[in-house]
Structures are given as C-alpha cells and as structure tokens.
Amino acid sequence: REIAPLGNLNPAAHTLPTDHLYLNVNTAAGVAVVASVVAPGNLVVTEVSQQTRSGGSPNDGVNYGMRFFPCADVAMYFSHLTSLTAEFAARVGPISSCDPPYTSGGITSTECRKQVNLTLAAGSLIGTAGGPSFPGIDFGGADARVPELAFVNPSRSYGYGQGFGQNHTICPVDYFVPP
C-alpha cells in the first residue's frame, strides 16, 4: 500500500504533473487487494459519477467517483472507486446523465454523472478501492482560500478563474486528522 504524491508523472494518461494523489491499495507485488473507502471527515457530496471503460485495457469495467466538500471553501474528489455500498448507491439513485462515449488509445469510455446533496458523517462506508481493474483511487482537492499556484500561463489551467481549479490545488490528506 502506498501513496503516490501530487505532481506524479504517469504517461500516457498524465504527461503533466497530476493534481491528485494516488492511494494505491494493491501490494507492490501486484496482488489484487480490495479495501474499504470511508468518508475522511464530515462531508457534503455534490456529485457522483460512473465511468465505464472497454477495449481490452486492464482498467476495463465500471468505476465510480464523487465530488465532496468538507467545508464551503474546499472541494475534493475520489475517482476510480471499484464499488459503492448498497446504502450509498441507494441514496444516490440512478446515475443516468451521460456524456457521449469517447475513444482514446483504443479504450472507449462513457462518463455518467448525477448531482446530489448528501451528507456523510466521518467514517461512513462509501465503497471499495483496488482489485484487479484499478490498483487504488485518485484523491484530489482545491481550496479557494489558498493563493493561486504559479502557472506559466494560468489561464490555460483547468478551472482557471474558479476557486476550485488547478490553480488552487492542495494535498487533501493535510485537511483531515487520522482516526
């Protein structure tokens, strides 16, 4: 189990430094491990997504994401959860607003999203991470209160002019206290 830090380079998907951590749950030997994912604090979940991939990649199948706020000025997200608990999925309901499929590198992906307004208490079970398709999850965030990062051309960064764009990237684990 490991954490790959902010700024990780992982071509071909990430040819620029990442704005999120990787929380990898599979062992270094590549053994598929499944771990529970819990709310890292008291949260308001505002969006849940479902992505389906096909085309022969090790990442084929369905994975989930969620955008959440521990407070009004801090937006965070998880990506690539391998499952949602039945309870959380029932609270979310059907995720049916989908973007058109796209293909990149021979892999076809479809992304569906649902806007929600759900509160979760710290420690609430959300779903799982890891397994044969995804070694772990992405964990990212932005804080509208922090000074903008120094990009060469800030207007070309994701979310420029919005408080929750790449210009306000933070290390999300710094915002929570271990249990």
Side-chain angles (χ1 to χ4, degrees):
R1 298 174 185 211
E2 64 186 16
I3 297 176
L6 290 170
N8 183 48
L9 294 174
N10 188 10
H14 294 297
T15 56
L16 297 174
T18 62
D19 61 352
H20 57 269
L21 307 171
Y22 294 93
L23 303 179
N24 294 321
V25 298
N26 288 357
T27 65
V31 176
V33 174
V34 176
S36 295
V37 176
V38 300
N42 294 326
L43 314 172
V44 176
V45 180
T46 59
E47 181 180 87
V48 178
S49 61
Q50 176 181 310
Q51 182 184 66
T52 305
R53 293 182 178 180
S54 62
S57 158
N59 302 129
D60 280 0
V62 175
N63 70 95
Y64 300 90
M66 58 184 277
R67 182 175 170 95
F68 55 90
F69 290 77
C71 69
D73 293 319
V74 179
M76 295 184 176
Y77 64 89
F78 288 144
S79 297
H80 308 305
L81 282 79
T82 49
S83 73
L84 300 177
T85 65
E87 178 185 347
F88 185 62
R91 289 181 67 194
V92 171
I95 305 171
S96 56
S97 177
C98 302
D99 296 333
Y102 65 93
T103 301
S104 177
I107 307 301
T108 300
S109 298
T110 302
E111 185 90 23
C112 304
R113 294 177 182 78
K114 182 169 185 183
Q115 303 303 311
V116 296
N117 185 12
L118 304 173
T119 57
L120 292 177
S124 297
L125 187 59
I126 297 167
T128 59
S133 296
F134 289 93
I137 61 173
D138 297 354
F139 185 19
D143 186 335
R145 303 167 298 188
V146 301
E148 286 193 355
L149 298 172
F151 281 75
V152 172
N153 185 348
S155 65
R156 294 183 67 192
S157 65
Y158 172 77
Y160 176 71
Q162 303 169 17
F164 301 116
Q166 284 179 319
N167 294 22
H168 294 276
T169 296
I170 47 94
C171 180
V173 297
D174 291 342
Y175 286 70
F176 300 100
V177 178

